[in-house]
């Protein structure tokens, strides 16, 4: 058993936190560090024009991937900055009149903390709950909209439990009520179809490093027509990105992001089917040996590569530490570990503190194979039995 040549330890099962750069992406990026190093804003000479052309080609690819116009794609340093720019930018452009925003308790901290910030500056923010499986009922959005509601922000796919929110229904409500609709699509991009026109999305945040692109490059899609959305920039400077985000463009990162999207979309159907099968295999293998194991989040409306389970009687940190030589996985989000808070997402599903602390997240990805899943299941089952013996006896 486990003599498979593909098996190299530790196995990476934390693809929601970040992903390795795909070799095809890296290959596309490398010339832009050394030979084509121009500043995309230096349009007076060939070096700058070459970089500018590469950036605009990437912008077109990224735009097309979500059915957006290229001029509505703004490059940032990542999804955190994109969410900050969208939320603070809308509020600060709105002037002194009352402004109301609607979001959801299970959002990423980049969104929740931006809303908290503008709330401290006078915005009204409604944070809607989710059901026991992590899904938001669109009817709640309809009920929460007030005359001065400016924007609704609901993530496409959750980074902890992989749950997919009903964007289409929410977008339709926003269209009917003339409210802006923003989505944090960082975990969804390249994994499910995203069409900002069909979904009536006005602002969308995403990031390259979650889809096998480099870290430090992200996008904010922001409509400049029908309707024209005004944002007050956070970073002032040379007026790059149509004044939305100043600073010299990260040309290799931008080129890499576009390539990462192309690769992901090209392989989306087969890769998501493959991941779903591997994920289901892992879940079945665990459940067979740990019958009281519970799935967190909706069983079907979730990302193919996500598995989040509660293993009663264990402490997640102990399990993760004990298995560190074999598997890299996590207790929830990498984004809040700095604060060491128990998952706000799992709490929102109604889990008790003990259940939250007994929950672990697996993120399967491009490198994951059957041998890895088999080994992971084996060592988890062994270790859970060991930890339970310690706890009970
Ligand atoms: C990772 C992540 C972010 C933050 O993206 P960065 O590019 O790392 O800043 C935001 N939202 C979600 C859902 C994420 O998974």
């Amino acid at each position: 058993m486990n003599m498979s040549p593909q098996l190299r330890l530790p196995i990476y099962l934390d693809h929601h936190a970040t992903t390795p750069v795909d070799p095809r992406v890296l290959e596309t990026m490398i010339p832009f560090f050394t030979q084509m190093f121009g500043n995309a804003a230096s349009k007076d000479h060939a070096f700058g024009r070459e970089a500018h052309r590469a950036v605009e080609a990437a912008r077109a690819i990224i735009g097309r991937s979500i059915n957006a116009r290229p001029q509505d794609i703004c490059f940032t340093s990542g999804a955190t900055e994109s969410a900050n720019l969208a939320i603070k930018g809308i509020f600060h452009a709105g002037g002194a009149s009352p402004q109301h925003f609607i979001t959801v308790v299970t959002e990423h901290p980049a969104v929740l903390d931006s809303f908290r910030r503008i709330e401290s500056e006078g915005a009204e923010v409604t944070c809607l709950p989710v059901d026991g499986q992590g899904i938001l009922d669109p009817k709640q959005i309809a009920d929460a909209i007030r005359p001065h509601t400016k924007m609704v922000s609901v993530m496409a796919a959750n980074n902890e439990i992989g749950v997919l929110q009903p964007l289409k229904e929410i977008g339709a409500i926003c269209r009917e009520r003339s409210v802006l609709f923003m989505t944090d699509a960082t975990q969804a991009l390249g994994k499910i179809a995203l069409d900002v026109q069909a979904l009536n999305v006005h602002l969308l945040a995403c990031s390259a490093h979650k889809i096998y692109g480099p870290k430090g490059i992200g996008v904010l899609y922001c409509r400049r027509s029908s309707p024209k959305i005004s944002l007050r920039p956070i970073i002032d400077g040379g007026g790059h990105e149509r004044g939305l985000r100043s600073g010299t463009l990260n040309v290799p990162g931008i080129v890499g992001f576009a390539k990462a999207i192309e690769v992901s979309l090209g392989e989306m159907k087969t890769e998501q089917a493959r991941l779903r099968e591997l994920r289901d295999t892992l879940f079945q293998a665990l459940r067979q040996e740990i019958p009281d194991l519970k799935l967190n989040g909706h069983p079907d409306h979730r990302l193919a590569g996500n598995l989040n389970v509660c293993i009663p009687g264990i402490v997640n940190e102990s399990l993760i530490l004990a298995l560190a030589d074999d598997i890299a996985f996590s207790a929830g989000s990498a984004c809040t570990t700095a604060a060491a808070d128990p998952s706000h997402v799992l709490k929102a599903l109604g889990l008790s503190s003990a259940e939250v602390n007994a929950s672990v997240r697996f993120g399967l990805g491009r490198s994951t194979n059957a041998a890895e899943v088999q080994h992971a299941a084996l060592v988890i089952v062994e270790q859970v039995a060991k930890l339970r013996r310690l706890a009970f006896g």
Side-chain angles (χ1 to χ4, degrees):
M1 196 178 284
N2 303 321
M3 299 300 280
S4 161
Q6 299 124 297
L7 201 61
R8 289 176 65 193
L9 302 181
I11 296 160
Y12 188 69
L13 287 178
D14 202 15
H15 286 86
H16 299 299
T18 195
T19 57
V21 171
D22 188 290
R24 292 165 285 187
V25 171
L26 181 63
E27 194 187 345
T28 312
M29 291 172 66
I30 284 174
F32 290 92
F33 287 103
T34 49
Q35 294 129 40
M36 297 187 267
F37 59 85
N39 185 324
S42 306
K43 288 183 222 164
D44 291 338
H45 54 66
F47 295 84
R49 279 197 296 271
E50 186 175 50
H52 175 75
R53 270 199 305 276
V55 165
E56 294 316 309
R59 200 188 297 280
I61 290 168
I62 296 168
R64 214 177 308 129
S65 75
I66 56 170
N67 196 21
R69 306 183 314 159
Q71 59 266 46
D72 294 344
I73 299 296
C74 171
F75 291 110
T76 67
S77 65
T80 299
E81 185 188 332
S82 298
N84 273 261
L85 176 57
I87 294 162
K88 296 174 184 176
I90 290 272
F91 177 63
H92 291 143
S97 51
Q99 298 183 62
H100 176 237
F101 296 83
I102 300 170
T103 189
V104 192
V105 282
T106 50
E107 291 290 306
H108 189 274
V111 169
L112 289 179
D113 290 349
S114 294
F115 276 120
R116 270 183 209 121
R117 178 75 63 190
I118 64 164
E119 197 173 25
S120 77
E121 296 169 351
E124 292 168 60
V125 181
T126 301
C127 204
L128 296 172
V130 292
D131 68 15
Q133 297 187 317
I135 310 271
L136 172 74
D137 179 358
K139 195 179 165 296
Q140 286 193 83
I141 299 269
D143 292 344
I145 291 175
R146 304 179 199 164
H148 57 282
T149 301
K150 195 93 181 223
M151 182 169 82
V152 168
S153 184
V154 178
M155 74 199 320
N158 186 271
N159 48 300
E160 293 190 36
I161 52 177
V163 159
L164 308 175
Q165 296 295 358
L167 293 194
K168 197 158 185 195
E169 289 80 356
I170 298 166
I173 292 166
C174 291
R175 178 180 283 133
E176 196 187 304
R177 308 284 293 273
S178 300
V179 172
L180 296 179
F181 182 27
M182 164 184 166
T183 190
D184 173 357
T186 312
Q187 293 288 344
L189 183 71
K191 298 173 192 147
I192 61 169
L194 290 169
D195 179 329
V196 293
Q197 307 300 331
L199 296 171
N200 188 45
V201 165
H202 303 101
L203 298 117
L204 178 147
C206 57
S207 185
H209 78 97
K210 303 287 175 77
I211 60 159
Y212 309 90
K215 292 168 184 61
I217 185 76
V219 152
L220 176 65
Y221 158 72
C222 175
R223 278 195 209 187
R224 308 298 183 91
S225 70
S226 58
K228 175 169 173 25
I229 298 167
S230 308
L231 298 181
R232 195 172 88 178
I234 294 173
I235 299 176
D236 296 306
H240 305 75
E241 298 298 272
R242 295 162 184 258
L244 252 192
R245 205 278 191 177
S246 288
T248 301
L249 287 174
N250 172 359
V251 180
I254 289 167
V255 169
F257 196 173
K259 183 66 182 180
I261 290 187
E262 275 188 329
V263 171
S264 294
L265 290 184
E267 300 175 348
M268 190 166 86
K269 256 200 145 127
T270 49
E271 177 63 359
Q272 296 310 305
R274 191 185 75 88
L275 289 177
R276 180 167 290 114
E277 207 176 308
L278 288 171
R279 190 267 319 270
D280 291 346
T281 301
L282 177 61
F283 183 44
Q284 295 312 334
L286 294 177
R287 201 161 58 169
Q288 193 154 20
E289 300 298 325
I290 312 170
D292 55 345
L293 170 137
K294 283 195 295 263
L295 180 70
N296 293 324
H298 197 284
D300 307 317
H301 299 303
R302 72 191 299 141
L303 293 172
N306 176 277
L307 183 64
N308 192 311
V309 290
C310 173
I311 309 174
I314 64 116
V315 175
N316 50 21
E317 295 296 353
S318 312
L319 184 66
I320 291 163
L321 201 66
L323 292 178
D325 291 339
D326 286 280
I327 339 171
F329 63 120
S330 94
S333 150
C335 318
T336 45
T337 43
D341 281 340
S343 161
H344 71 288
V345 173
L346 296 178
K347 276 202 258 175
L349 304 192
L351 270 68
S352 70
S353 295
E355 287 170 324
V356 171
N357 291 326
S359 293
V360 287
R361 174 186 74 176
F362 302 100
L364 287 67
R366 211 167 269 171
S367 58
T368 312
N369 58 39
E372 287 189 349
V373 163
Q374 190 194 9
H375 183 77
L378 187 85
V379 294
I380 293 163
V381 165
E382 267 176 17
Q383 194 59 41
V384 165
K386 234 184 252 177
L387 289 171
R388 282 179 167 178
R389 272 199 303 275
L390 282 175
F392 299 118

